[in-house]
Amino acid sequence: ALLGHGPSHERLAQIEDVLRPMYMALPKKKDGGIDQGMARYALNRYFLAHRGWHISGIAYDGQRWNGSSSTPLLKSKMPSFIIELLEEHVAHKPLGLGELAVLAA
């Protein structure tokens, strides 16, 4: 099933429920969403707490969380079609709780 339909819809809803308290506490941009740095922070916290994973590239590296764009790192690690879809979506909408849950899934 596609994300958002069937069993994966329930999985996304569960991930959103886990991320919601942290997401609500994060500083938001004027458009109501979070920036890439805050998304990296939230995903890092999620993966450490719920999977025990330390993922290079989203983990804090001693620099500000929003110090630089993560796009070059993502492009080196993800298939190009995923990057294109993500860039297309994020370029036009704020990064909200739903998008954060999809990235965590």
Side-chain angles (χ1 to χ4, degrees):
L2 295 172
L3 286 175
H5 296 85
S8 61
H9 175 71
E10 286 122 27
R11 181 170 178 239
L12 279 179
Q14 290 171 344
I15 293 171
E16 281 186 26
D17 289 343
V18 169
L19 290 171
R20 184 171 286 108
M22 180 176 29
Y23 180 82
M24 298 305 292
L26 292 173
K28 309 293 186 299
K29 299 185 328 182
K30 289 180 184 178
D31 61 15
I34 60 174
D35 64 22
Q36 283 187 15
M38 288 296 104
R40 289 174 56 201
Y41 171 80
L43 290 170
N44 182 57
R45 293 264 322 260
Y46 173 80
F47 289 130
L48 279 174
H50 297 279
R51 299 283 185 236
W53 296 347
H54 177 84
I55 301 174
S56 296
I58 66 167
Y60 182 69
D61 61 3
Q63 299 177 355
R64 290 172 29 132
W65 280 102
N66 59 355
S68 64
S69 172
S70 56
T71 303
L73 172 78
L74 288 174
K75 284 183 176 178
S76 70
K77 304 290 183 191
M78 295 176 86
S80 61
F81 73 93
I82 293 175
I83 291 296
E84 289 169 11
L85 289 172
L86 184 60
E87 285 178 338
E88 180 180 312
H89 180 76
V90 173
H92 298 100
K93 295 181 182 176
L95 186 62
L97 180 58
E99 291 81 16
L100 195 61
V102 168
L103 290 171

